[in-house]
Amino acid sequence: MARLRPLAAVVSLALLAPAGASASYPWPFKPFDKQHPIRGFFGDPRTVYLNGILAGGFDGPGAFSFHQGIDVSAPDGTPIYAIANGTAHYLGASTLNVVTGGGVTFQFFHIVSVVGEGQHVIARETVLGYVQPPFGHVHISEIDGTRIVNPLKPGHLAPYRDKTRPTIREIIVRDASGAPQTPLGLCGRVELDADVFDTPPVAVPGVFRGMPVAPAFVGWELTRFAGGVVSPWRAVADFRKTLPSSTAFWSVYAKGTYQNAPRFGREQYDSMPGRYLFLLSGNFDTTSLPNGVYVISVRAADIRGNRTLSRQRISVLNARGGTCPGSLPAPPEAPPPAEPPAAATTP
């Protein structure tokens, strides 16, 4: 297989580099300057399926969104301190805002608040409340003006170090029924997914030990096996700075995705890890390609730039004028044949 062109590789690595730093803030409980376990990452899928698994839960309605902060593991009753100077405001019985003078708001969930409405709070000194049983963690969101921000960006929550690399478990081809397809002899329109997850850099205690978290970045490209780019690097998910709208959930994650300890109908699977499937292409038209062998490359990275690359060969075999069993229908907004996935400015 041909190597990536040097310029393309340099551009790809540069765009995966961590963002620049700004003023940092401490962890929300003692010791303030020690890294603590994080069991929920920014951008993790949050899924609540209304129907049970045996009642077609994956095909039915539900509530789906991106996790808008981080979940820091802490024993129930742990004192939670302000991480910046500001003014406290109640949002609910277990939710508190701290509004800073610089236009940044920090939100704390799953705490029993003890500060007063409108009280001035001081970083590292004021106890905001205590971790509410039975949650075993405090959720923190950072909002800059009206924009949700990844708290793990360099220059924000500190200290934070991560030397782990995301895992790309599998690159998946699916037909119209959603069934996985062999990569040999693909025809018609197919869906392309990637099963990708990251591992928290500090082991999480309790039932969430070993459960996955979302990588900060997932992207892909398509090349010919003999050499040459068919579809340049494009981003599928980029949580390094902020999040897309929840309405875009199913354009980032693919069908079959569910969160850690998922809920389907009345059943809560407390001890089960989640599955994070990223949608590379929801309707990839193989008829736009000459028959032959191609390579799907998927790259995943965390917020500190630790990267993983995985490749999957596929062969395309479309008969002239023939039909392809299991082919996805053409998108209603575009008459067939559709072009290959368009390039994006961020790989």
Side-chain angles (χ1 to χ4, degrees):
M1 182 176 3
R3 294 180 179 271
L4 285 173
R5 294 175 297 174
L7 179 59
V10 170
V11 171
S12 177
L13 292 177
L15 286 168
L16 284 174
S22 60
S24 62
Y25 50 86
W27 290 80
F29 52 88
K30 297 178 179 179
F32 300 122
D33 298 317
K34 177 184 176 182
Q35 184 168 338
H36 296 276
I38 301 175
R39 75 183 211 184
F41 270 28
F42 193 70
D44 281 354
R46 287 296 179 259
T47 61
V48 179
Y49 291 90
L50 295 186
N51 298 327
I53 291 177
L54 299 181
F58 283 112
D59 298 315
F64 310 102
S65 62
F66 302 99
H67 190 222
Q68 298 192 351
I70 58 172
D71 291 340
V72 186
S73 291
D76 293 339
T78 299
I80 300 300
Y81 290 78
I83 56 179
N85 298 345
T87 305
H89 296 287
Y90 283 98
L91 287 181
S94 61
T95 307
L96 188 74
N97 272 7
V98 173
V99 181
T100 72
V104 175
T105 298
F106 292 99
Q107 291 186 338
F108 299 84
F109 291 76
H110 310 311
I111 65 172
V112 178
S113 302
V114 295
V115 294
E117 168 64 27
Q119 179 180 334
H120 180 70
V121 299
I122 301 173
R124 300 174 180 254
E125 295 184 13
T126 306
V127 175
L128 302 177
Y130 300 86
V131 173
Q132 181 184 30
F135 294 100
H137 73 276
V138 58
H139 170 100
I140 302 173
S141 290
E142 180 182 349
I143 305 169
D144 188 351
T146 59
R147 184 170 178 258
I148 195 76
V149 174
N150 191 335
L152 299 182
K153 285 175 56 178
H156 291 246
L157 180 64
Y160 179 76
R161 299 177 182 86
D162 189 349
K163 296 183 179 180
T164 65
R165 295 192 302 167
T167 299
I168 302 172
R169 183 184 283 136
E170 186 180 10
I171 298 171
I172 305 166
V173 182
R174 297 204 270 193
D175 64 12
S177 71
Q181 294 288 96
T182 172
L184 184 64
L186 297 178
C187 63
R189 295 174 179 270
V190 295
E191 180 178 315
L192 304 177
D193 304 329
D195 187 340
V196 187
F197 66 92
D198 202 359
T199 302
V202 176
V204 176
V207 70
F208 274 76
R209 177 180 291 273
M211 289 196 179
V213 290
F217 178 90
V218 176
W220 76 291
E221 76 163 355
L222 182 69
T223 57
R224 298 178 183 86
F225 177 71
V229 174
V230 176
S231 179
W233 284 102
R234 59 172 293 180
V236 174
D238 191 347
F239 307 143
R240 292 172 295 176
K241 296 179 180 179
T242 189
L243 292 174
S245 166
S246 291
T247 58
F249 184 88
W250 291 116
S251 65
V252 174
Y253 288 108
K255 181 181 176 182
T257 292
Y258 51 90
Q259 68 176 54
N260 291 328
R263 175 174 288 278
F264 284 82
R266 297 181 179 180
E267 188 71 26
Q268 184 88 39
Y269 297 87
D270 289 322
S271 301
M272 290 300 296
R275 189 182 189 203
Y276 301 171
L277 301 179
F278 290 86
L279 183 65
L280 306 182
S281 177
N283 198 303
F284 184 76
D285 185 8
T286 68
T287 66
S288 65
L289 304 174
N291 288 347
V293 178
Y294 298 83
V295 179
I296 301 171
S297 298
V298 175
R299 192 189 303 278
D302 64 23
I303 197 68
R304 288 298 185 263
N306 300 300
R307 297 177 292 273
T308 302
L309 178 67
S310 180
R311 294 186 172 97
Q312 170 71 59
R313 296 182 193 179
I314 61 171
S315 72
V316 171
L317 183 60
N318 284 289
R320 181 178 298 177
T323 59
C324 181
S327 176
L328 291 164
E333 66 273 11
E339 294 296 325
T345 56
T346 304

